[in-house]
Amino acid sequence: MFNFFSEVKKGVKNFDLTGKYNIVNISGEILYVEGHKGVALLSKTQISFKVKNGRLLIEGDNLVLVELTEDTLKISGKISKIEAL
Amino acid sequence: MKSFYQFEVKGYNQEKFFNELSKSCKVFDINRISKEHSFFKTNFFDHSKAEKLINEFNLQIISVKKTGIFSSLSKILTSYGLIIGFIIGLALLVIDSCFIRKIEVWGNEKISDKEVIEVVDDSIGNGFKSKIDTKIIESLIYSSFESLSFVSVAVVGQTIIVNIKEELIPEEMTGNFLPVISNFDGRITKTELIQGTLCVKVGDIVQKGDTLVLPYITNSSGEQMPVKAMANIWADVWIIEEEIHNSCYEEVYRTGKKIINNEIFLFSLKIYEKKQENVFENYEIVESVSTLNKNNLLPFVLKTTTIYEAATKLVEIPFSQVKDSLIEKAKAKALQKVEEYEIIKEERVDIREVGNITSISYIITLNRKIGE
């Protein structure tokens, strides 16, 4: 089956796929994350979650965690900044 | 439409709670409006997991809302009014099924349904099924009607089915017998009397409608005993078909001259007319009506009257010229009346001539069983 992330990573050499996260930003209004390790901060303007070897901070307005499963999440709202910490 | 449970919760450490909850089920639309206060949704059937976890994390449930089709269904199933109504309806149905609601009568011809139903109605009282004794109803029907040979009563569901058979009285008991009547003209060739009094003998000529066997026998005391008239009677019957020829007659023909008159009508009102005077002494008139346009808004109707001049001429066809074809025609007509299996004993042609008129009769003689 076609996997978008696998296709993207195929051309990059010396890249370790295990345990990493994937993130897709759609028009700055939807953010899809695969491979998160748990939500660390949740508010209307900031959502932060753990990933392997670090943390990601999302900033914006009216942020809502639209869907949350054990390793995926989907955020909607006006996303202004994605920061890897 | 998906079904959800929407929770409104208050408390600290909600991030940990959501992380834990996401391990056991999907969490939707997490909207944290303040540090302590948030909304979230779970699938309809995951709500108990969420409630359990909320208690474990010491969160406070402010409100719970259900949405979607399962929510509507659960509302129906937990609506006491509906449940009570359903139980009452079911109870009424059970009570109602204990009573007879319909009576059907089968097999009756002379006795009407209504008469039988009246008898059954009187015998079943309030119609409570367990109190109905079909044997009693059967005997009641027997005693109410004299002309029954069989009665069977059965309770099927909420219906009583009464199956009856009426007595068939043999004709000998009623004494109303009919004679055997000839249904053809012919000469009797053979008789075999089975029952009754024979009125004809071999050689007799009979006409259609004549009595062949009378419906009685005379005993040694001279008394007439009615019986059903039965006999096998054969006769030579004659199948006759006729053709008429007129050897001299006047024929009317059109000379070719004609006058055409036209009239146009609108709503039965004559709006145009073209008429010529009829100058012919002998004539034929042919009228035709047609509409001038196809729409119905203005229905113009054209009436055409054609007057043809007519004349007469004397036509003479000698009989000798058409004799064979007329005989063939009469024969074909006569043969149509002969059944395929019948053996023709004789065929003959009678020709009679009166003035210009000649009559050809084709006669086929065959032996046929007569009498009904």
Side-chain angles (χ1 to χ4, degrees):
Chain A
M1 206 170 87
F2 175 81
N3 184 304
F4 173 73
F5 296 115
S6 302
E7 287 298 311
V8 172
K9 291 164 191 168
K10 219 180 241 176
V12 184
K13 287 175 185 172
N14 302 322
F15 186 76
D16 179 20
L17 291 173
T18 52
K20 298 273 174 81
Y21 65 90
N22 303 308
I23 184 161
V24 179
N25 182 358
I26 302 167
S27 305
E29 290 185 7
I30 299 170
L31 195 80
Y32 174 74
V33 180
E34 248 181 30
H36 76 87
K37 302 288 178 191
V39 179
L41 175 68
L42 195 58
S43 74
K44 281 270 187 194
T45 52
Q46 283 187 326
I47 295 176
S48 168
F49 49 89
K50 287 180 256 177
V51 291
K52 194 181 180 187
N53 303 326
R55 206 154 61 94
L56 285 179
L57 176 67
I58 315 298
E59 285 184 5
D61 288 323
N62 292 321
L63 297 179
V64 175
L65 197 48
V66 176
E67 197 177 303
L68 177 68
T69 69
E70 197 173 1
D71 64 344
T72 66
L73 60 85
K74 200 156 70 182
I75 297 165
S76 76
K78 193 121 183 99
I79 297 157
S80 55
K81 186 177 164 190
I82 303 168
E83 195 178 354
L85 304 168
Chain B
M1 190 184 166
K2 263 190 146 183
S3 299
F4 293 102
Y5 255 77
Q6 191 189 46
F7 292 90
E8 183 185 357
V9 289
K10 262 188 173 181
Y12 296 103
N13 246 338
Q14 290 192 8
E15 286 86 355
K16 268 191 179 176
F17 163 72
F18 287 126
N19 285 334
E20 202 58 37
L21 185 59
S22 68
K23 285 175 189 169
S24 55
C25 65
K26 267 189 180 182
V27 190
F28 304 94
D29 296 343
I30 303 167
N31 189 3
R32 198 168 190 182
I33 52 172
S34 70
K35 201 178 175 187
E36 297 170 30
H37 193 182
S38 61
F39 291 88
F40 71 94
K41 286 180 184 172
T42 63
N43 279 327
F44 191 83
F45 296 105
D46 290 332
H47 74 96
S48 55
K49 291 174 190 169
E51 280 167 5
K52 194 180 163 193
L53 218 57
I54 287 167
N55 289 330
E56 279 179 21
F57 277 81
N58 289 322
L59 298 178
Q60 185 191 353
I61 297 174
I62 307 297
S63 67
V64 180
K65 273 186 199 167
K66 288 179 267 182
T67 55
I69 193 158
F70 287 119
S71 160
S72 310
L73 271 173
S74 72
K75 272 180 196 165
I76 291 168
L77 292 172
T78 53
S79 164
Y80 294 116
L82 273 172
I83 292 167
I84 292 166
F86 179 75
I87 292 166
I88 291 170
L90 202 68
L92 287 173
L93 196 72
V94 170
I95 293 165
D96 183 65
S97 66
C98 296
F99 289 90
I100 292 296
R101 289 272 165 254
K102 200 175 166 191
I103 299 165
E104 281 183 18
V105 185
W106 297 357
N108 55 321
E109 285 175 10
K110 291 171 192 164
I111 302 166
S112 70
D113 285 8
K114 201 182 162 189
E115 287 175 287
V116 180
I117 289 168
E118 272 174 16
V119 174
V120 178
D121 252 342
D122 292 343
S123 61
I124 60 172
N126 57 13
F128 199 62
K129 269 160 72 174
S130 63
K131 287 189 177 174
I132 289 170
D133 189 339
T134 53
K135 296 284 169 206
I136 292 173
I137 301 172
E138 280 172 10
S139 60
L140 262 168
I141 295 170
Y142 258 130
S143 57
S144 304
F145 304 100
E146 287 178 352
S147 58
L148 295 179
S149 63
F150 168 81
V151 176
S152 149
V153 176
V155 178
V156 180
Q158 288 184 272
T159 308
I160 288 185
I161 295 171
V162 182
N163 196 353
I164 59 174
K165 277 198 168 60
E166 291 166 4
E167 276 179 358
L168 293 171
I169 300 165
E171 286 175 330
E172 281 78 2
M173 285 179 77
T174 58
N176 297 322
F177 301 116
L178 295 171
V180 176
I181 305 291
S182 171
N183 42 3
F184 293 101
D185 296 344
R187 182 188 289 118
I188 306 292
T189 56
K190 189 182 171 188
T191 59
E192 281 177 3
L193 180 66
I194 299 165
Q195 207 169 251
T197 304
L198 199 61
C199 301
V200 289
K201 59 182 186 300
V202 173
D204 283 356
I205 289 174
V206 291
Q207 287 185 317
K208 188 176 177 181
D210 284 354
T211 303
L212 303 175
V213 183
L214 290 165
Y216 61 82
I217 51 168
T218 309
N219 66 11
S220 54
S221 317
E223 290 170 352
Q224 287 183 352
M225 307 277 291
V227 289
K228 189 182 180 185
M230 290 164 75
N232 296 321
I233 297 170
W234 287 267
D236 283 344
V237 299
W238 304 294
I239 309 291
I240 304 167
E241 282 302 325
E242 203 174 42
E243 283 291 322
I244 305 287
H245 173 69
N246 193 345
S247 59
C248 183
Y249 61 92
E250 277 190 340
E251 189 185 73
V252 178
Y253 67 98
R254 290 176 185 173
T255 61
K257 291 178 186 172
K258 62 182 176 182
I259 297 166
I260 299 171
N261 294 330
N262 288 322
E263 293 164 285
I264 295 175
F265 295 88
L266 180 64
F267 298 115
S268 306
L269 189 76
K270 194 189 287 181
I271 57 168
Y272 170 78
E273 185 182 44
K274 184 201 156 204
K275 208 165 189 179
Q276 283 176 271
E277 199 184 334
N278 180 9
V279 291
F280 305 135
E281 192 180 340
N282 297 312
Y283 55 87
E284 285 177 6
I285 295 177
V286 177
E287 285 184 349
S288 67
V289 176
S290 60
T291 50
L292 287 176
N293 51 350
K294 285 182 181 173
N295 66 58
N296 291 323
L297 291 172
L298 290 171
F300 289 105
V301 175
L302 172 68
K303 183 182 173 189
T304 306
T305 308
T306 311
I307 304 165
Y308 295 94
E309 187 185 36
T312 54
K313 65 180 178 185
L314 200 66
V315 179
E316 286 185 36
I317 302 170
F319 174 66
S320 58
Q321 216 173 61
V322 293
K323 182 184 171 185
D324 290 344
S325 70
L326 289 174
I327 290 171
E328 280 305 312
K329 254 186 179 175
K331 182 182 177 181
K333 278 161 73 179
L335 284 171
Q336 278 180 359
K337 294 184 177 176
V338 178
E339 300 292 338
E340 273 182 24
Y341 57 85
E342 287 182 310
I343 297 163
I344 294 169
K345 284 178 81 174
E346 190 187 357
E347 288 177 78
R348 68 168 201 274
V349 180
D350 280 358
I351 298 172
R352 291 184 301 279
E353 203 173 322
V354 180
N356 293 329
I357 309 292
T358 310
S359 154
I360 301 120
S361 298
Y362 198 91
I363 303 155
I364 293 174
T365 307
L366 41 88
N367 200 251
R368 192 176 262 183
K369 196 176 172 184
I370 62 167
E372 291 181 327

